[in-house]
Amino acid sequence: MSVKTFWYLTQADGDYPWSPGGLYPVDGARQIELAKTIDDGGFEGALVATWPNDPFISATWAAAHTSRMKFLVAIYANMTPARLLAEKALTFDAFSGGRLMINSVNGRENILTKYDMNVDHDQRYELGEQYWADFRRIYAEGTESNFPNTPLRIDAPVGHQVPLWGTGDSPAGLANSGKVLDTYLAMLRETSFIEEKFSAARDAATAAGREFTDFGALTGVIVRPTKDEALERFRSLFEKTGIEQIADVLDNAVRRRTHGAQDLKTFTARDSQRQGWVDAIAAGRLPEPEDLYVGDGLYAGITAWSPLDIFGTGSSAVYYVGDPDSITDSVRTLRQRTGLTALILAGWPLIEEAKWVSEYLIPRFDELD
């Protein structure tokens, strides 16, 4: 059974977009080029994330210039009225041929309060359960014109519902996932971690009398014809970012997490490997790629959404780095042990790295035994 491969469709793009000097400006034309690269490259679709740009508008913009790829659009539950979102979804599917998917996001307080959504963590999940039930009902009913003399309707494609993807780590999040989601997602880490995540999600779905249709994970990737070439490109992400930028970001992260009690030089990591990264960076040295290998084909790195994981608390800043066969073998083992059926991959710059994945990984993922 093949693994469904998604890419990342976002304005967070550049040679190293986690640093101001490596971030491209907002550019609609480049988004079209990226979408066409994904569409032509054999990807199942793309995750359209919640960055400063509105993800639904970004997906609509890209859908007008593509023909087959699906759009996994990140949506905060309750931020848009369920009826309005259903009407938007019906319109999108009518125009695109049913290519909308939704990534349900429950969000963090620092984000939600910007939109006056002042709701406790567990209550967000409770409200989300009703929200998505309402959305699905209204989508299935279709929508009609507000003007009675114009009998115009938009109906959902026959037998079709918008697939709902998402995640949940807390007890409330897992329970919600089991009741609501079609696909359970995790930020990729070592295989044993994903086994536990997916097992807990299956138990939650069973308790709700349901089953997931897919299990997916999000990770970075750098694939090249040889492992040495891939590792050299991986190394360059750290070199281009620069030791001062990396140290500054991590120092701020430590101060934030410890409420000012520690900085990077006084921080103690939870294991010797991560402590080695901390010591090297605090001393003004970049860790070597071999020091960043965390097992199961994965390397700790830097992504647009997360810095180097010195905390060991679930960061998704990992990459598959290697030649096509070694990465495929790692994914095959992951799938066999966990039941994973979908991967959301990213690499920067997004267009260039998507082409490498299209050429070297998608044909192999399509033929996994």
Side-chain angles (χ1 to χ4, degrees):
M1 184 176 66
S2 64
V3 168
K4 301 171 185 176
T5 309
F6 290 76
W7 196 244
Y8 217 54
L9 184 69
T10 175
Q11 287 288 332
D13 195 7
D15 292 322
Y16 42 108
W18 42 86
S19 181
L23 181 66
Y24 294 159
V26 173
D27 184 343
R30 191 176 59 252
Q31 283 287 278
I32 293 172
E33 184 182 355
L34 172 58
K36 287 181 176 179
T37 300
I38 296 166
D39 200 47
D40 295 339
F43 291 89
E44 182 81 6
L47 171 62
V48 190
T50 54
W51 296 93
N53 55 293
D54 181 284
F56 211 113
I57 293 176
S58 297
T60 303
W61 173 253
H65 300 275
T66 57
S67 61
R68 50 163 300 280
M69 66 176 288
K70 297 172 183 176
F71 294 87
L72 180 58
V73 181
I75 300 290
Y76 287 97
N78 290 293
M79 191 173 290
T80 303
R83 179 168 295 279
L84 178 57
L85 180 62
E87 291 170 352
K88 289 158 68 81
L90 284 161
T91 307
F92 188 101
D93 274 341
F95 290 172
S96 72
R99 292 191 280 147
L100 178 65
M101 308 167 70
I102 289 178
N103 178 32
S104 173
V105 183
N106 284 282
R108 304 183 189 131
E109 277 187 29
N110 66 319
I111 297 173
L112 296 178
T113 52
K114 289 168 56 178
Y115 302 95
D116 296 324
M117 294 180 65
N118 302 301
V119 180
D120 291 339
H121 177 274
D122 288 2
Q123 189 181 7
R124 290 204 298 268
Y125 287 108
E126 294 173 12
L127 295 173
E129 183 179 342
Q130 184 59 54
Y131 178 82
W132 291 118
D134 291 342
F135 167 81
R136 281 173 162 151
R137 173 180 54 80
I138 298 166
Y139 181 91
E141 292 171 353
T143 184
E144 59 187 24
S145 172
N146 292 323
F147 302 100
N149 63 323
T150 308
L152 184 66
R153 284 186 55 83
I154 300 179
D155 289 308
V158 177
H160 176 74
Q161 263 287 7
V162 179
L164 195 62
W165 292 34
T167 190
D169 296 315
S170 67
L174 277 169
N176 176 265
S177 298
K179 294 175 183 177
V180 172
L181 301 179
D182 300 304
T183 295
Y184 184 80
L185 289 172
M187 297 296 188
L188 191 59
R189 288 180 66 191
E190 64 272 17
T191 303
S192 60
F193 177 88
I194 298 299
E195 280 182 306
E196 293 177 5
K197 283 278 187 185
F198 287 180
S199 178
R202 286 190 185 93
D203 290 345
T206 299
R210 302 175 68 247
E211 291 183 353
F212 293 109
T213 57
D214 283 288
F215 287 87
L218 171 65
T219 182
V221 64
I222 297 175
V223 61
R224 294 293 188 271
T226 69
K227 184 175 182 178
D228 286 345
E229 290 175 275
L231 286 171
E232 186 56 36
R233 172 59 186 163
F234 179 65
R235 182 199 304 272
S236 76
L237 298 183
F238 287 83
E239 292 174 343
K240 289 181 177 180
T241 304
I243 186 64
E244 291 184 2
Q245 171 75 12
I246 293 171
D248 184 59
V249 169
L250 292 178
D251 184 67
N252 288 334
V254 170
R255 292 174 187 273
R256 186 172 60 252
R257 289 201 180 204
T258 64
H259 305 288
Q262 291 179 295
D263 59 21
L264 185 63
K265 292 184 180 296
T266 61
F267 174 72
T268 301
R270 62 171 54 194
D271 59 65
S272 59
Q273 183 181 32
R274 285 175 172 81
Q275 189 61 50
W277 308 341
V278 171
D279 292 343
I281 293 168
R285 302 190 311 274
L286 292 172
E288 293 296 322
E290 57 266 27
D291 298 327
L292 295 165
Y293 183 69
V294 294
D296 298 326
L298 297 171
Y299 291 76
I302 310 169
T303 67
W305 54 81
S306 186
L308 181 67
D309 178 25
I310 62 173
F311 302 101
T313 55
S315 168
S316 60
V318 295
Y319 285 77
Y320 281 122
V321 182
D323 61 85
D325 289 338
S326 66
I327 292 177
T328 301
D329 287 344
S330 295
V331 172
R332 178 184 290 109
T333 299
L334 177 67
R335 192 193 63 176
Q336 290 172 345
R337 287 181 53 182
T338 69
L340 176 133
T341 58
L343 277 174
I344 302 172
L345 302 175
W348 293 271
L350 288 165
I351 293 171
E352 289 80 354
E353 291 299 325
K355 291 177 180 178
W356 287 107
V357 171
S358 175
E359 180 177 358
Y360 287 109
L361 291 182
I362 287 181
R364 289 169 168 81
F365 289 176
D366 285 344
E367 298 177 357
L368 278 173
D369 49 33

